[in-house]
């Protein structure tokens, strides 16, 4: 059974810096403009907007550009100021922004998919534009010519897309819960491997090229850290959301993982600790503590003249146990269980207060998050939401009714959480 999640009291909160509003529909994605007090957004209302902060302290659009179809995703490269936008009609449009972010010049548009573009990623080192679509296709194009270089059909539509420049490996997470790793060449690709650990679809991926680990978020409310570089197949689970995980972002300088849920929950995970894999659940026809038969073990029930019991599993040791032998609950943060879960009585006695010390903090963004962008240089977090009502303030509440969008630039300092 799934663990019942009970929120913990917050000790420190991210500080709300500002909010931006004005879109007529859901903001699909938004990104912080590096070295500027501005934001780039693409929306289902078919607009691309660049918002710059004015002397009044308010954000106003310095660029407002209407597209022929709803904007589904974007990728912005700060070095070249190249903006790649995926559309609902399957096409990708590319633009170059001026140095002052007051002008946007169209470069090219091309048909990349037969359906909505789900994710897009511009790779400066290769001059490639990678994308996934509802047509279950992963494609990559030359950003200079717009020519299609290759493609690969995935088992389902893919919401997760990451690329490792050093190895030219692309990571694709799809709705079936599978993660696919491909090796890309200039005009072809080869399958490296596939793996699956979630019970729901993969909704987001995040790659750390230094530690060489991949984080996957899922609709099953969990996050898995895959040790790709270690080649040992290690997979660490993180359980801390009440709803599907919409996005994950990693801050390498503080070794913090930021995950956001569809219910507005933001979890900041301390990854600078030695985490443990959760054990495999063992199979047994009787309780591995008291030997009482489970309800399908008719022979032992008949021989012992006892009524069969329901089977449970200890989250710490993985043993199959009855309810009487697993009556206790405990958090096991180093195994990813930040909230209390079922453990057998033996394991409950062995867990120390130090082992119960939390390794994550929990915050409420007050809106349904669809995307997040983290600026590691300034420690700013930008979330995009679907809600029509925004409630945002660090100390006082402000209610604004609008058909928007995106808000919450959150200041995250290096030592604020731990």
């Amino acid at each position: 059974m799934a663990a019942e999640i009970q929120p913990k009291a917050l000790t420190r909160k991210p500080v709300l810096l500002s909010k931006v509003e004005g879109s007529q529909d859901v903001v699909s994605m938004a990104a912080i403009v590096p070295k500027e007090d501005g934001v780039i957004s693409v929306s289902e209302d078919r607009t691309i907007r660049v918002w710059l902060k004015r002397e009044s302290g308010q954000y106003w659009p310095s660029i407002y550009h209407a597209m022929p179809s709803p904007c589904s995703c974007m990728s912005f490269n700060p070095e070249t100021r190249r903006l790649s936008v995926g559309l609902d009609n399957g096409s990708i449009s590319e633009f170059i922004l001026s140095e002052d972010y007051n002008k946007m010049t169209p470069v090219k548009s091309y048909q990349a998919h037969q359906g909505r573009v789900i994710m897009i990623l511009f790779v400066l080192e290769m001059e490639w534009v990678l994308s996934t679509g509802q047509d279950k296709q992963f494609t990559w194009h030359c950003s200079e010519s717009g020519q299609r270089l290759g493609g690969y059909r995935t088992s389902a539509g893919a919401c997760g897309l990451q690329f490792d420049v050093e190895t030219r490996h692309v990571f694709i997470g799809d709705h079936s819960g599978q993660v696919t790793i491909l090796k890309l060449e200039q005009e072809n690709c080869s399958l490296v491997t596939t793996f699956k650990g979630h019970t729901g679809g993969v909704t987001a991926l995040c790659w750390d090229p230094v530690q060489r680990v991949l984080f996957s978020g899922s609709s099953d409310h969990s996050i898995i850290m895959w040790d790709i570089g270690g080649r040992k197949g290690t997979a660490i689970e993180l359980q801390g959301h009440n709803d599907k995980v919409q996005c994950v972002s990693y801050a390498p300088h503080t070794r913090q993982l930021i995950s956001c849920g569809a219910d507005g929950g933001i979890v900041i995970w301390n990854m600078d600790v030695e985490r443990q894999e959760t054990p495999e659940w063992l199979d047994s026809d009787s309780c591995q503590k008291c030997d009482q038969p489970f309800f399908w073990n008719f022979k032992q029930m008949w021989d012992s003249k006892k009524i069969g019991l329901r089977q449970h599993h200890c989250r710490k040791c993985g043993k199959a146990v009855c309810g009487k032998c697993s009556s206790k609950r405990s958090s096991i943060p180093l195994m990813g269980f930040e909230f209390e879960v079922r453990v057998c009585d033996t394991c409950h006695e062995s867990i120390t207060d130090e082992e119960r010390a939390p390794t994550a903090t929990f915050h409420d963004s007050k809106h349904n998050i669809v995307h997040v962008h983290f600026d590691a240089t300034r420690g700013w977090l930008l979330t995009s939401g679907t809600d029509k009502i925004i409630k945002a303030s660090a100390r006082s509440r402000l209610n604004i009714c609008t058909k928007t969008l995106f808000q919450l630039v959150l200041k995250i300092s290096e030592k604020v959480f731990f």
Side-chain angles (χ1 to χ4, degrees):
M1 294 179 63
E4 182 181 356
I5 295 179
Q6 298 293 336
K8 293 183 179 180
L10 306 183
T11 55
R12 299 290 297 275
K13 295 182 180 180
V15 179
L16 175 64
L17 296 181
S18 189
K19 58 183 175 61
V20 186
E21 55 184 323
S23 297
Q24 301 303 308
D25 208 332
V26 175
V27 172
S28 305
M29 285 189 181
I32 299 168
V33 177
K35 300 179 182 180
E36 297 283 345
D37 222 339
V39 172
I40 303 170
S41 69
V42 296
S43 172
E44 294 288 349
D45 66 6
R46 306 189 179 196
T47 65
I48 303 172
R49 308 187 196 205
V50 178
W51 311 78
L52 296 180
K53 193 173 184 178
R54 307 303 181 182
E55 293 181 358
S56 63
Q58 298 296 315
Y59 284 85
W60 293 93
S62 62
I63 295 176
Y64 179 101
H65 185 85
M67 299 297 289
S69 180
C71 305
S72 55
C73 56
M74 60 169 270
S75 177
F76 178 66
N77 181 265
E79 296 181 39
T80 60
R81 300 187 305 281
R82 179 186 291 267
L83 178 66
S84 305
V85 181
L87 302 181
D88 189 66
N89 62 12
S91 65
I92 293 176
S93 296
E94 297 191 43
F95 304 87
I96 298 293
L97 297 176
S98 62
E99 291 186 14
D100 61 2
Y101 291 93
N102 284 306
K103 183 180 179 182
M104 187 170 70
T105 304
V107 178
K108 67 177 72 67
S109 293
Y110 45 88
Q111 194 69 31
H113 296 274
Q114 297 304 310
R116 180 183 177 91
V117 181
I118 300 177
M119 286 295 294
I120 188 171
L121 188 63
F122 172 66
V123 183
L124 176 61
E125 293 82 356
M126 314 303 302
E127 289 290 343
W128 288 346
V129 177
L130 317 180
S131 62
T132 61
Q134 280 187 341
D135 56 3
K136 301 181 183 179
Q137 287 286 336
F138 160 74
T139 66
W140 71 103
H141 291 74
C142 174
S143 62
E144 295 180 333
S145 64
Q147 177 185 357
R148 178 185 166 114
L149 299 177
Y152 181 87
R153 184 169 180 83
T154 57
S155 57
C159 285
L161 182 63
Q162 293 285 282
F163 183 74
D164 181 56
V165 175
E166 181 181 342
T167 62
R168 294 190 182 183
H169 285 163
V170 62
F171 306 93
I172 307 168
D174 63 44
H175 293 312
S176 72
Q178 179 173 287
V179 177
T180 302
I181 303 180
L182 302 175
K183 171 80 171 182
L184 296 190
E185 301 296 345
Q186 189 61 31
E187 295 183 355
N188 59 73
C189 69
S190 57
L191 177 64
V192 177
T193 188
T194 62
F195 49 88
K196 191 173 183 179
H198 291 287
T199 57
V202 175
T203 53
L205 291 179
C206 181
W207 170 246
D208 176 18
V210 178
Q211 301 294 325
R212 306 203 67 75
V213 295
L214 181 72
F215 299 96
S216 62
S218 172
S219 58
D220 64 7
H221 308 180
S222 73
I223 300 164
I224 298 180
M225 181 180 74
W226 308 89
D227 183 11
I228 304 297
R231 301 179 182 274
K232 295 181 181 179
T234 305
I236 304 295
E237 291 185 41
L238 302 174
Q239 302 278 352
H241 285 277
N242 288 304
D243 206 336
K244 68 177 179 178
V245 179
Q246 291 284 58
C247 37
V248 288
S249 183
Y250 185 66
H253 63 298
T254 57
R255 298 202 64 181
Q256 292 175 323
L257 179 70
I258 305 163
S259 61
C260 300
D263 61 353
I266 299 176
V267 184
I268 314 295
W269 306 85
N270 179 12
M271 303 308 296
D272 196 21
V273 294
E274 188 174 346
R275 294 187 176 273
Q276 306 167 13
E277 281 191 280
T278 53
E280 293 288 337
W281 284 4
L282 302 178
D283 293 326
S284 179
D285 292 328
S286 59
C287 176
Q288 294 181 301
K289 292 294 182 180
C290 67
D291 201 36
Q292 291 289 315
F294 293 133
F295 63 83
W296 61 82
N297 189 352
F298 297 112
K299 184 178 185 304
Q300 187 176 348
M301 288 166 56
W302 177 265
D303 293 343
S304 61
K305 301 296 189 292
K306 294 180 179 179
I307 298 176
L309 304 176
R310 182 181 176 185
Q311 178 183 258
H312 301 282
H313 283 91
C314 173
R315 301 309 194 265
K316 191 174 191 300
C317 66
K319 289 183 178 180
V321 290
C322 66
K324 184 178 180 181
C325 293
S326 59
S327 60
K328 305 292 179 62
R329 302 290 185 273
S330 175
S331 60
I332 321 174
L334 293 181
M335 282 189 171
F337 298 112
E338 289 290 331
F339 305 101
E340 292 188 346
V341 291
R342 181 185 294 272
V343 293
C344 67
D345 294 351
T346 304
C347 286
H348 187 271
E349 293 176 2
S350 68
I351 300 174
T352 64
D353 291 340
E354 184 178 351
E355 290 176 315
R356 291 188 177 93
T359 61
T361 57
F362 302 83
H363 314 275
D364 188 1
S365 69
K366 303 294 184 180
H367 72 158
N368 296 351
I369 298 173
V370 296
H371 183 259
V372 64
H373 177 244
F374 180 66
D375 183 348
T377 59
R378 288 181 286 184
W380 288 4
L381 181 70
L382 180 71
T383 64
S384 308
T386 62
D387 52 339
K388 297 180 182 179
I389 299 178
I390 297 175
K391 300 178 181 178
S393 181
R395 294 184 182 138
S396 60
R397 295 191 175 183
L398 178 64
N399 299 333
I400 302 176
C401 297
T402 178
K403 228 181 180 182
T404 179
L405 96 39
F406 77 114
Q407 68 145 180
L408 286 184
V409 184
L410 301 175
K411 178 66 175 179
I412 301 178
S413 59
E414 290 192 7
K415 301 300 181 182
V416 71
F417 297 108
F418 302 100

